[in-house]
Amino acid sequence: AARAGANVLLVERESMLGGTSTAGYVINWEPGPGCGIAREIAIRLAKYDEGVTFSRAKEYDGTLTRAGNGRVHYEPVPFHDVVMTMLRETGRARVLLNTTFIQSAFDADQKRMRWIDVVRDGKRYRVSARTFIDCTGSGFLAQTVGCETMLGADAKSRFDEPSAPEEPHDTLNALELCYRIRPSADPVRQQLPEGRSARRGGAAWPLPSGDKFVNTCGGLAPGWLLMKLGYEGARKELELRAQQHWHWMQKERFPEYEFDSFAPMLAIRESHRIVGEYVLRQQDVMTHTSKSPHPDIVAIADHPMDTHGAGGGLGSVATPYGIPYRCLVPKGPWQNLLVACRGASFSSIGASSCRLSRTMMMLGQAAGTAAAGSCSRPWSP
């Protein structure tokens, strides 16, 4: 948006930019389509010592097809530095880190959002803008103005998806707390928390520094635990479960490593989704871009329908598919609100495929470009 000429205020709850892909320690991009800003970030990261590596690929282009199985592994601090530099270079972007969105206001007559309230260092601020983009993951901003939401598995009758259950239910894609491990000549051994047993499975991915980040790939908790315990309660429980997991993984797979740190934030695969002008569904995920009926595709993805134990008989996606711009536009009267995150307008099955980092970055780039275009048009309140 800033590069397209808009003045931008970016509000970020965490202490670094990137969300799950940095503060959530999901610090790699899986093979698959990735273009635009993602490519630029990777190229800039390559100029850092220990900034980025391309596994099973010699360069970024080798990571763009699932068949090639090339991955992008990067360090979160250089990633944050790169994107902060990109924002500063625009001369139009201001970033508020460690700042939490809490409230918004909507003008019913004008059908526009008016302002949001945020909290930073214990102080409350009101922010007015021409256009708002909700990148909160769960569509928190859109929810505050009354946008319709979806949560859990959708019934087959809703979108006629082949793999959907006959009745809706509250299953959500698994919740994760990733953690980082480091090599050591004399590793500290992880003891099991009292009254707990070992947890198996998962994967450890290499980082440019020689450390690894560990993702249990759905082995820590069902997604609904977040709704049941709340964020802080879920994090406390997942820290114990991650210790159970690392006890097993250190003993069986990585005895030469020791625990380094938990991710600053939970990795949430699925929560609330906003109903938009179009809902991406399983039929779209299984349709090649060349055969898509949508004229407004703004992103391409090809990740499997990956539910991490949530059921549904899902699997691989044979060809790349497109995501329409209408998935970013909430259904209803709102004239200046877009949603560009995993909480955009996807069915539960659709979200299980398109939720990955590079896809979300493409949605953000599309939303930013559209927002800048809308701000360039005359408007008076």
Side-chain angles (χ1 to χ4, degrees):
R3 285 177 168 179
N7 294 320
V8 175
L9 180 67
L10 176 55
V11 177
E12 170 57 58
R13 184 186 65 181
E14 302 297 327
S15 60
M16 65 172 59
L17 298 179
T20 303
S21 64
T22 54
Y25 279 9
V26 187
I27 33 188
N28 79 332
W29 298 337
E30 292 204 20
C35 57
I37 284 177
R39 175 189 294 275
E40 182 178 352
I41 291 173
I43 291 171
R44 291 190 181 218
L45 278 170
K47 298 178 182 178
Y48 281 69
D49 291 336
E50 300 182 348
V52 66
T53 58
F54 306 118
S55 67
R56 301 190 182 183
K58 294 182 179 180
E59 55 188 16
Y60 182 76
D61 284 356
T63 73
L64 296 180
T65 61
R66 183 151 295 277
N69 202 29
R71 296 170 180 265
V72 181
H73 302 272
Y74 54 88
E75 292 287 349
V77 172
F79 184 104
H80 169 77
D81 290 344
V82 162
V83 293
M84 285 293 289
T85 298
M86 292 166 65
L87 287 160
R88 283 193 295 269
E89 288 172 353
T90 68
R92 293 180 173 271
R94 182 184 178 191
V95 180
L96 297 181
L97 299 174
N98 301 303
T99 304
T100 303
F101 159 72
I102 56 171
Q103 185 180 342
S104 67
F106 173 68
D107 188 322
D109 294 330
Q110 296 289 335
K111 300 178 181 179
R112 299 179 67 87
M113 285 194 61
R114 295 176 55 205
W115 47 258
I116 63 171
D117 280 353
V118 300
V119 172
R120 188 186 194 198
D121 296 331
K123 296 182 179 180
R124 186 165 176 159
Y125 301 91
R126 181 154 294 179
V127 180
S128 299
R130 289 277 301 273
T131 301
F132 295 83
I133 303 176
D134 185 340
C135 303
T136 60
S138 298
F140 290 125
L141 176 57
Q143 288 188 54
T144 64
V145 297
C147 291
E148 182 182 354
T149 63
M150 300 174 281
L151 183 65
D154 310 292
K156 181 171 290 188
S157 59
R158 183 161 195 181
F159 302 119
D160 197 30
E161 296 173 298
S163 299
E166 292 297 329
E167 300 294 332
H169 56 77
D170 59 10
T171 301
L172 292 176
N173 213 323
L175 188 63
E176 203 73 59
L177 177 60
C178 296
Y179 58 91
R180 184 171 181 140
I181 59 176
R182 58 176 181 256
S184 173
D186 185 21
V188 175
R189 298 300 165 190
Q190 176 66 56
Q191 302 301 312
L192 280 172
E194 185 176 354
R196 304 268 179 149
S197 57
R199 304 182 74 92
R200 300 172 179 269
W205 302 106
L207 295 171
S209 65
D211 292 358
K212 297 179 184 292
F213 82 91
V214 180
N215 184 336
T216 72
C217 299
L220 284 191
W224 210 261
L225 188 74
L226 181 65
M227 307 297 170
K228 180 179 179 181
L229 301 182
Y231 188 90
E232 295 303 325
R235 182 180 176 92
K236 183 177 180 180
E237 173 62 24
L238 262 65
E239 286 186 2
L240 292 173
R241 297 188 184 190
Q243 292 172 31
Q244 295 171 249
H245 181 261
W246 174 232
H247 169 81
W248 171 81
M249 182 164 273
Q250 183 184 42
K251 181 179 178 181
E252 299 295 333
R253 296 179 57 187
F254 298 103
E256 71 281 15
Y257 282 76
E258 66 182 11
F259 180 83
D260 178 84
S261 57
F262 292 119
M265 65 178 283
L266 294 176
I268 302 169
R269 293 184 174 95
E270 181 184 3
S271 52
H272 287 91
R273 294 164 281 118
I274 303 300
V275 177
E277 291 189 353
Y278 183 79
V279 180
L280 187 85
R281 56 203 72 185
Q282 185 178 4
Q283 294 91 323
D284 300 303
V285 172
M286 299 175 70
T287 300
H288 191 281
T289 51
S290 65
K291 299 180 180 180
S292 173
H294 306 301
D296 58 336
I297 289 175
V298 293
I300 296 173
D302 68 353
H303 188 262
M305 292 171 284
D306 186 355
T307 53
H308 286 286
L314 307 178
S316 62
V317 173
T319 60
Y321 64 90
I323 301 172
Y325 173 74
R326 286 165 294 154
C327 293
L328 310 185
V329 183
K331 185 178 180 180
W334 300 274
Q335 300 296 307
N336 63 339
L337 173 63
L338 296 170
V339 181
C341 57
R342 68 166 187 273
S345 186
F346 315 127
S347 72
S348 179
I349 294 176
S352 75
S353 170
C354 70
R355 60 181 171 76
L356 273 72
S357 297
R358 282 193 284 194
T359 310
M360 296 296 101
M361 293 166 73
M362 284 187 270
L363 298 186
Q365 189 168 1
T369 303
S374 70
C375 289
S376 67
R377 295 196 298 268
W379 174 78
S380 57

